Amino acid sequence: MKDIELKTTIKECQLEELSAEERHLVEMAIEATNRSYAPYSNFHVGAALLLENGEAFMGCNQENAAFPAGLCAERTAIFAAGAKYPDVPVKVLAIAARTPNGALQAEPVSPCGTCRQVIIETETRFKQAVRIILYGTKRIYVMDGIKQLMPLSFTEFQ
Protein backbone atom coordinates (compact mmCIF):
# COMPACT_ATOMS: atom_id res chain seq x y z
CA MET A 1 0.00 0.00 0.00
CA LYS A 2 1.25 3.48 -0.79
CA ASP A 3 0.10 6.96 0.10
CA ILE A 4 -1.08 9.27 -2.64
CA GLU A 5 -0.84 12.95 -1.84
CA LEU A 6 -3.50 15.21 -3.32
CA LYS A 7 -2.65 18.89 -3.64
CA THR A 8 -5.13 21.71 -3.77
CA THR A 9 -4.49 25.41 -4.24
CA ILE A 10 -6.75 28.01 -2.70
CA LYS A 11 -5.81 31.67 -2.91
CA GLU A 12 -6.27 33.87 0.15
CA CYS A 13 -6.88 37.56 -0.44
CA GLN A 14 -8.59 40.70 0.76
CA LEU A 15 -11.59 42.36 -0.86
CA GLU A 16 -9.55 45.08 -2.59
CA GLU A 17 -7.50 42.39 -4.39
CA LEU A 18 -10.58 41.11 -6.23
CA SER A 19 -11.65 42.57 -9.56
CA ALA A 20 -14.49 45.12 -9.55
CA GLU A 21 -16.78 42.43 -11.02
CA GLU A 22 -15.89 39.99 -8.24
CA ARG A 23 -16.27 42.64 -5.50
CA HIS A 24 -19.76 43.37 -6.86
CA LEU A 25 -20.65 39.68 -6.62
CA VAL A 26 -19.39 39.56 -3.02
CA GLU A 27 -21.55 42.61 -2.22
CA MET A 28 -24.53 40.84 -3.81
CA ALA A 29 -23.82 37.69 -1.76
CA ILE A 30 -23.67 39.79 1.42
CA GLU A 31 -26.99 41.47 0.49
CA ALA A 32 -28.51 38.04 -0.14
CA THR A 33 -27.72 37.02 3.47
CA ASN A 34 -30.33 39.62 4.51
CA ARG A 35 -32.96 37.84 2.39
CA SER A 36 -32.29 34.43 3.92
CA TYR A 37 -35.01 32.55 5.81
CA ALA A 38 -33.19 30.68 8.58
CA PRO A 39 -35.41 30.55 11.70
CA TYR A 40 -33.98 27.21 12.86
CA SER A 41 -30.22 27.60 12.43
CA ASN A 42 -30.02 31.42 12.44
CA PHE A 43 -27.19 30.90 9.98
CA HIS A 44 -27.92 33.19 7.05
CA VAL A 45 -26.09 32.38 3.81
CA GLY A 46 -26.10 34.37 0.59
CA ALA A 47 -24.71 33.57 -2.82
CA ALA A 48 -24.34 35.50 -6.04
CA LEU A 49 -23.23 34.23 -9.39
CA LEU A 50 -22.23 35.69 -12.70
CA LEU A 51 -23.10 33.97 -15.96
CA GLU A 52 -20.97 34.09 -19.10
CA ASN A 53 -23.56 36.43 -20.67
CA GLY A 54 -23.03 39.03 -17.90
CA GLU A 55 -26.28 38.33 -16.04
CA ALA A 56 -26.01 38.03 -12.25
CA PHE A 57 -28.25 36.10 -9.85
CA MET A 58 -28.59 36.04 -6.07
CA GLY A 59 -29.61 33.14 -3.87
CA CYS A 60 -30.11 32.68 -0.15
CA ASN A 61 -30.78 29.74 2.10
CA GLN A 62 -34.41 28.87 2.76
CA GLU A 63 -35.03 26.64 5.77
CA ASN A 64 -38.05 24.51 6.53
CA ALA A 65 -39.13 22.61 9.64
CA ALA A 66 -38.88 19.48 7.49
CA PHE A 67 -35.14 19.99 7.06
CA PRO A 68 -34.68 18.19 3.73
CA ALA A 69 -37.23 20.57 2.22
CA GLY A 70 -34.95 23.61 2.58
CA LEU A 71 -32.35 24.81 0.11
CA CYS A 72 -28.92 26.35 0.41
CA ALA A 73 -27.98 29.74 -1.04
CA GLU A 74 -25.66 28.28 -3.65
CA ARG A 75 -28.34 26.01 -5.08
CA THR A 76 -31.04 28.69 -5.12
CA ALA A 77 -28.72 30.94 -7.15
CA ILE A 78 -27.60 28.19 -9.54
CA PHE A 79 -31.14 26.89 -10.08
CA ALA A 80 -32.59 30.39 -10.60
CA ALA A 81 -29.91 31.15 -13.20
CA GLY A 82 -30.50 27.80 -14.89
CA ALA A 83 -34.24 28.39 -15.04
CA LYS A 84 -33.78 31.67 -16.92
CA TYR A 85 -30.65 30.85 -18.93
CA PRO A 86 -30.38 27.04 -19.18
CA ASP A 87 -27.62 27.10 -21.80
CA VAL A 88 -25.36 29.78 -20.30
CA PRO A 89 -22.38 28.70 -18.17
CA VAL A 90 -21.74 29.98 -14.66
CA LYS A 91 -18.53 32.02 -14.60
CA VAL A 92 -18.14 33.02 -10.93
CA LEU A 93 -19.93 32.12 -7.67
CA ALA A 94 -19.51 34.16 -4.45
CA ILE A 95 -20.70 32.99 -1.02
CA ALA A 96 -21.09 34.92 2.25
CA ALA A 97 -22.71 34.16 5.61
CA ARG A 98 -23.91 35.80 8.81
CA THR A 99 -23.57 34.38 12.29
CA PRO A 100 -26.63 33.85 14.53
CA ASN A 101 -26.04 37.32 16.05
CA GLY A 102 -26.27 38.90 12.56
CA ALA A 103 -22.59 39.73 12.07
CA LEU A 104 -20.86 38.74 8.86
CA GLN A 105 -18.77 35.58 9.25
CA ALA A 106 -15.14 36.39 9.99
CA GLU A 107 -13.91 33.25 8.27
CA PRO A 108 -15.02 32.08 4.83
CA VAL A 109 -17.80 29.49 4.72
CA SER A 110 -17.58 26.71 2.17
CA PRO A 111 -20.46 24.96 0.39
CA CYS A 112 -22.06 21.87 1.92
CA GLY A 113 -21.62 18.50 0.23
CA THR A 114 -24.87 18.73 -1.70
CA CYS A 115 -23.99 22.18 -3.04
CA ARG A 116 -20.52 20.98 -3.94
CA GLN A 117 -22.07 18.20 -6.01
CA VAL A 118 -24.41 20.70 -7.73
CA ILE A 119 -21.40 22.89 -8.57
CA ILE A 120 -19.60 19.81 -9.93
CA GLU A 121 -22.64 19.07 -12.09
CA THR A 122 -22.67 22.69 -13.29
CA GLU A 123 -18.99 22.47 -14.26
CA THR A 124 -19.58 19.11 -15.95
CA ARG A 125 -22.62 20.37 -17.84
CA PHE A 126 -20.75 23.32 -19.33
CA LYS A 127 -17.31 21.68 -19.42
CA GLN A 128 -15.65 24.57 -17.60
CA ALA A 129 -14.66 25.43 -14.06
CA VAL A 130 -16.60 27.90 -11.92
CA ARG A 131 -14.45 30.45 -10.09
CA ILE A 132 -15.53 30.29 -6.43
CA ILE A 133 -15.14 33.14 -3.93
CA LEU A 134 -15.70 32.35 -0.25
CA TYR A 135 -16.08 35.61 1.68
CA GLY A 136 -15.09 36.27 5.28
CA THR A 137 -14.41 39.64 6.91
CA LYS A 138 -10.90 38.51 7.95
CA ARG A 139 -9.97 36.83 4.67
CA ILE A 140 -11.38 35.65 1.37
CA TYR A 141 -10.65 32.34 -0.33
CA VAL A 142 -10.67 32.12 -4.11
CA MET A 143 -10.44 28.95 -6.15
CA ASP A 144 -10.63 28.18 -9.82
CA GLY A 145 -13.12 25.34 -9.74
CA ILE A 146 -14.83 23.04 -7.27
CA LYS A 147 -12.12 20.41 -7.72
CA GLN A 148 -10.07 22.47 -5.28
CA LEU A 149 -12.61 21.46 -2.60
CA MET A 150 -13.36 18.00 -4.01
CA PRO A 151 -10.34 16.60 -5.85
CA LEU A 152 -11.84 13.09 -6.11
CA SER A 153 -15.29 14.17 -7.17
CA PHE A 154 -17.69 12.02 -9.14
CA THR A 155 -17.74 13.59 -12.60
CA GLU A 156 -16.85 13.02 -16.22
CA PHE A 157 -15.46 16.57 -16.64
CA GLN A 158 -11.71 16.63 -16.20
Side-chain angles (χ1 to χ4, degrees):
M1 183 181 306
K2 71 176 187 175
D3 291 338
I4 297 173
E5 186 174 322
L6 300 175
K7 183 179 177 184
T8 187
T9 302
I10 297 173
K11 297 173 185 80
E12 181 180 325
C13 67
Q14 297 299 313
L15 193 60
E16 58 274 3
E17 295 176 274
L18 297 175
S19 70
E21 181 178 74
E22 291 170 336
R23 285 193 307 273
H24 179 66
L25 281 179
V26 167
E27 290 166 6
M28 288 177 67
I30 291 168
E31 170 59 30
T33 65
N34 295 320
R35 300 173 184 205
S36 163
Y37 178 70
Y40 306 102
S41 70
N42 289 311
F43 189 66
H44 299 269
V45 182
L49 62 79
L50 179 67
L51 296 177
E52 285 285 335
N53 66 2
E55 294 289 329
F57 286 82
M58 287 195 300
C60 56
N61 60 321
Q62 300 293 310
E63 293 182 349
N64 191 290
F67 287 112
L71 276 178
C72 298
E74 299 90 318
R75 285 182 281 156
T76 61
I78 291 169
F79 296 157
K84 186 159 185 185
Y85 296 103
D87 298 322
V88 180
V90 176
K91 183 177 170 183
V92 184
L93 173 67
I95 304 162
R98 291 188 185 280
T99 62
N101 70 4
L104 286 170
Q105 254 328 103
E107 295 296 330
V109 175
S110 67
C112 74
T114 303
C115 288
R116 290 178 191 208
Q117 189 61 46
V118 168
I119 297 166
I120 288 168
E121 187 71 23
T122 301
E123 289 186 350
T124 301
R125 177 181 182 181
F126 296 110
K127 295 180 177 43
Q128 68 182 51
V130 174
R131 186 167 172 89
I132 301 168
I133 302 169
L134 306 177
Y135 175 80
T137 58
K138 286 175 67 174
R139 72 189 100 248
I140 297 168
Y141 294 149
V142 179
M143 60 211 72
D144 292 319
I146 194 67
K147 291 240 182 204
Q148 300 304 321
L149 292 176
M150 295 185 67
L152 294 177
S153 58
F154 181 73
T155 179
E156 294 178 20
F157 172 62
Q158 299 302 324

